[in-house]
Amino acid sequence: MSNNLYKNFIVRDVMIAMGNFPVVKNDTILKEAIETMGISNLGIISVVDNNDTLLGVITDGDLRRKLLKVQKPLSFYLIDDVIDHCIKEPLTTLLEVKLTDALKIMEDNEIWDLPVVNENKKLIGMLHLHQVVKKLFF
């Protein structure tokens, strides 16, 4: 794909806005977080505090890997707080970053989703690879 197709875009142009992707508070139990993730079909959920500061993310792949390693009954695992199982300090991007730079981060790290935050780490959006393709080419 030629960079010319999207070189003038910034993250703000193609990100998913708040309210359109799954977000839970840090004291949400894992079972509820998984249910919330399932509604969106994105395969990722963002974990925030009461000020919407991004504390972490958890993906369906993270869940699969954790379930294979867990050494306690599944029912006990599902009542843990989601924050106990998420990736803390995930990779992020800012609104005004060039789309090509954000996509490079995603490519280099083999990820499909990149939370969009402001300078204070407040969550304001999600860059999802499928949405980028959809907005740019369809």
Side-chain angles (χ1 to χ4, degrees), residues 65 114 130:
R65 287 182 286 278
L114 194 59
H130 289 151

mmCIF file of all heavy atoms in Angstrom, residues 65 114 130:
data_model
loop_
_atom_site.group_PDB
_atom_site.id
_atom_site.type_symbol
_atom_site.label_atom_id
_atom_site.label_comp_id
_atom_site.label_asym_id
_atom_site.label_seq_id
_atom_site.Cartn_x
_atom_site.Cartn_y
_atom_site.Cartn_z
ATOM 1 N N ARG A 65 -3.989 -16.338 26.863
ATOM 2 C CA ARG A 65 -2.688 -16.685 27.439
ATOM 3 C C ARG A 65 -2.772 -16.807 28.962
ATOM 4 O O ARG A 65 -2.202 -17.722 29.554
ATOM 5 C CB ARG A 65 -1.640 -15.670 27.024
ATOM 6 C CG ARG A 65 -1.239 -15.806 25.554
ATOM 7 C CD ARG A 65 -0.150 -14.820 25.154
ATOM 8 N NE ARG A 65 -0.646 -13.467 25.031
ATOM 9 C CZ ARG A 65 -1.272 -12.972 23.958
ATOM 10 N NH1 ARG A 65 -1.483 -13.741 22.904
ATOM 11 N NH2 ARG A 65 -1.684 -11.714 23.923
ATOM 12 N N LEU A 114 -4.595 0.656 19.104
ATOM 13 C CA LEU A 114 -3.710 1.595 19.771
ATOM 14 C C LEU A 114 -4.567 2.661 20.452
ATOM 15 O O LEU A 114 -5.243 3.442 19.775
ATOM 16 C CB LEU A 114 -2.770 2.234 18.735
ATOM 17 C CG LEU A 114 -1.557 2.988 19.216
ATOM 18 C CD1 LEU A 114 -0.632 2.103 20.048
ATOM 19 C CD2 LEU A 114 -0.794 3.563 18.031
ATOM 20 N N HIS A 130 -8.830 -2.243 11.522
ATOM 21 C CA HIS A 130 -9.960 -2.448 10.608
ATOM 22 C C HIS A 130 -10.693 -1.141 10.319
ATOM 23 O O HIS A 130 -11.113 -0.894 9.180
ATOM 24 C CB HIS A 130 -10.942 -3.464 11.165
ATOM 25 C CG HIS A 130 -10.431 -4.863 11.151
ATOM 26 N ND1 HIS A 130 -10.822 -5.804 12.050
ATOM 27 C CD2 HIS A 130 -9.534 -5.481 10.345
ATOM 28 C CE1 HIS A 130 -10.201 -6.944 11.799
ATOM 29 N NE2 HIS A 130 -9.416 -6.766 10.765
#
